[in-house]
Amino acid sequence: MAHLEARKHISPDSGFPITLHPKFNPKIVAHVPPEPIRSEITPLPDRALSAEPSKSSLLSVATRTDLTESLGTVLSNIQLSTLTPTQLDELALLVSERGVVFFRNQDLTTEQQVVLFEHYGTLDRHPAQKDQKHVIIRGSREDHREIAKYTPWPSGDFHADTSFETNPPSYSMLRMEEHPEVGGDTAWVSTYGLYDALSEAMRRFVDGLHAVHTSRLQYDTIIDLWGVGPNRPPIDSHHPAVRTHPVTGLKALNVNPGFVTGFAELKKVESDKLLDFFAYHIHSADDHAVRWKWEVGSVAMWDNRCTNHRVIPGTYEAPRRGIRTTVFGEKPYFDPKSEGRLERQQRHKAESPNSAVERVKLEDNTPTPA
């Protein structure tokens, strides 16, 4: 926290830094971003839409292990550097379905990773990212609970990458080049699952809301904490609180504590209470979460449209360094005809040929053969 402006203003009474409102923080007030806010774009068609549903080309050369029922899959005995365009399309479909897919012992270089990810669309660039093609992701050894006293952004909390953008990212990939033996894990939570876990009444309620996503809190914190300036001005976007995934057609809760500050249709107190609930809801969703232990050579590819994630802070001393690539996604939208994942599963079960037979057996108490 050495860069924090608050560290320069110590209370003579408590001996602790005096919290400064961003408006009166000279570093924040003086910063002039060199680039304008982005305009909306129409991204290239999602590569997952070109994939064969069974993903036979990919799964014929890889061993699949699902980590939880809700999300997270490991593909082993495979190198990303050898995948064909067809297999890359099928990987995108698997990621859209499972949220995040992991790999160990990969031989990708940064240049290969960039080329591979360009297959999925136009490379995105974080507001604080200097290199157009990739960003370096380091460890998180700060006490986020302490930092939150002096900066407005909950930097250690769950988020979807730059969800405040008009065109938030679709797919992201992180490849680890340096990592401590213990610590520095990353957690993901399925926003398909978060939506399904709501009561029916709550699902109906949030279906019609818009979540206020903002980069303002991160913008202020980056300037103060990191000592660098974001490339673009802060932006506020009203995205559907429940979005429809363009590949799976499923509803996903489009709310995250990192960037969502309220709901456009609600009054302030109503909005704050709903945010408090969603913070609890996300952090208590162990049945829809996975925690990944990194190693050098590990890779994760995830879909920001159906997951939130967060790095787990720690006190490790060893360096942590990863390379992340990201591509633009579509502007979030909500299709009222779309359905939740659990709703679809229940519908498919009811429509299956055996379901009618099973219902008859249950109704007339006919024993089911062993």
Side-chain angles (χ1 to χ4, degrees):
M1 293 192 293
H3 291 291
L4 285 175
E5 181 69 17
R7 290 294 188 198
K8 303 176 184 177
H9 308 274
I10 306 300
S11 166
D13 299 310
S14 69
F16 283 86
I18 296 172
T19 302
L20 297 178
H21 189 283
K23 181 179 179 180
F24 302 106
N25 185 321
K27 290 191 295 185
I28 296 174
V29 172
H31 178 64
V32 179
E35 301 174 15
I37 291 176
R38 284 176 173 159
S39 300
E40 181 182 351
I41 67 168
T42 301
L44 296 170
D46 197 302
R47 295 305 311 177
L49 295 171
S50 302
E52 201 277 319
S54 69
K55 300 172 281 291
S56 58
S57 181
L58 176 67
L59 298 180
S60 66
V61 297
T63 302
R64 172 179 175 170
T65 304
D66 291 343
L67 298 180
T68 74
E69 291 178 282
S70 186
L71 88 162
T73 293
V74 176
L75 292 184
S76 52
N77 303 319
I78 191 174
Q79 287 293 332
L80 284 161
S81 60
T82 67
L83 295 186
T84 66
T86 296
Q87 291 167 334
L88 289 174
D89 290 350
E90 293 177 358
L91 173 58
L93 179 57
L94 182 63
V95 172
S96 294
E97 293 170 348
R98 294 293 298 166
V100 57
V101 175
F102 302 104
F103 305 82
R104 298 275 190 198
N105 303 312
Q106 294 298 298
D107 61 7
L108 274 179
T109 65
T110 297
E111 293 74 18
Q112 289 174 319
Q113 180 179 343
V114 168
V115 171
L116 182 155
F117 228 62
E118 286 178 328
H119 176 80
Y120 294 116
T122 303
L123 292 176
D124 194 3
R125 180 170 167 237
H126 188 279
Q129 183 175 334
K130 303 306 179 185
D131 191 294
Q132 182 66 44
K133 296 184 177 181
H134 69 270
V135 62
I136 296 174
I137 303 297
R138 300 194 183 276
S140 181
R141 288 176 283 190
E142 304 281 4
D143 185 344
H144 293 283
R145 304 164 186 85
E146 176 73 11
I147 292 174
K149 291 169 59 178
Y150 309 113
T151 63
W153 177 46
S155 54
D157 216 331
F158 278 104
H159 62 280
D161 288 336
T162 59
S163 66
F164 45 77
E165 297 284 11
T166 303
N167 288 90
S170 53
Y171 303 108
S172 293
M173 176 177 283
L174 180 59
R175 176 181 56 87
M176 203 58 64
E177 294 187 331
E178 297 179 289
H179 207 273
E181 290 188 8
V182 179
D185 300 352
T186 303
W188 279 265
V189 62
S190 169
T191 53
Y192 293 147
L194 289 175
Y195 180 78
D196 288 341
L198 298 172
S199 66
E200 182 179 351
M202 180 64 87
R203 292 197 299 270
R204 289 198 304 268
F205 177 55
V206 297
D207 275 355
L209 297 181
H210 286 83
V212 179
H213 295 247
T214 183
S215 67
R216 294 182 185 277
L217 306 184
Q218 185 190 55
Y219 176 93
D220 295 343
T221 301
I222 286 175
I223 298 172
D224 198 8
L225 183 61
W226 297 351
V228 298
N231 298 304
R232 300 189 293 275
I235 182 175
D236 305 284
S237 300
H238 289 192
H239 291 315
V242 177
R243 68 182 298 176
T244 301
H245 196 290
V247 174
T248 64
L250 297 175
K251 294 179 180 179
L253 184 67
N254 191 27
V255 176
N256 67 77
F259 297 121
V260 173
T261 57
F263 298 90
E265 293 83 358
L266 302 184
K267 297 178 180 179
K268 180 67 165 59
V269 175
E270 297 171 335
S271 188
D272 288 348
K273 295 301 182 183
L274 187 56
L275 282 176
D276 287 343
F277 163 72
F278 279 128
Y280 158 79
H281 187 60
I282 292 169
H283 281 272
S284 65
D286 293 340
D287 50 341
H288 296 292
V290 68
R291 179 168 173 163
W292 178 246
K293 180 175 174 57
W294 293 98
E295 298 172 351
V296 174
S298 294
V299 172
M301 179 174 168
W302 68 94
D303 191 331
N304 290 282
R305 299 166 297 186
C306 59
T307 61
N308 290 334
H309 65 278
R310 67 184 291 252
V311 64
I312 308 298
T315 58
Y316 49 86
E317 296 295 331
R320 182 183 189 270
R321 185 179 189 274
I323 304 297
R324 190 180 74 194
T325 46
T326 303
V327 292
F328 283 103
E330 72 288 344
K331 183 178 180 179
Y333 67 94
F334 174 68
D335 180 356
K337 296 180 181 179
S338 57
E339 57 189 346
R341 183 173 62 181
L342 180 60
E343 182 183 3
R344 178 177 291 178
Q345 292 170 350
Q346 292 172 337
R347 176 173 60 79
H348 285 173
K349 185 176 180 180
E351 293 172 352
S352 66
N354 294 329
S355 62
V357 176
E358 294 299 324
R359 283 197 299 271
V360 169
K361 289 178 179 179
L362 289 173
E363 290 169 359
D364 66 8
N365 296 318
T366 303
T368 301

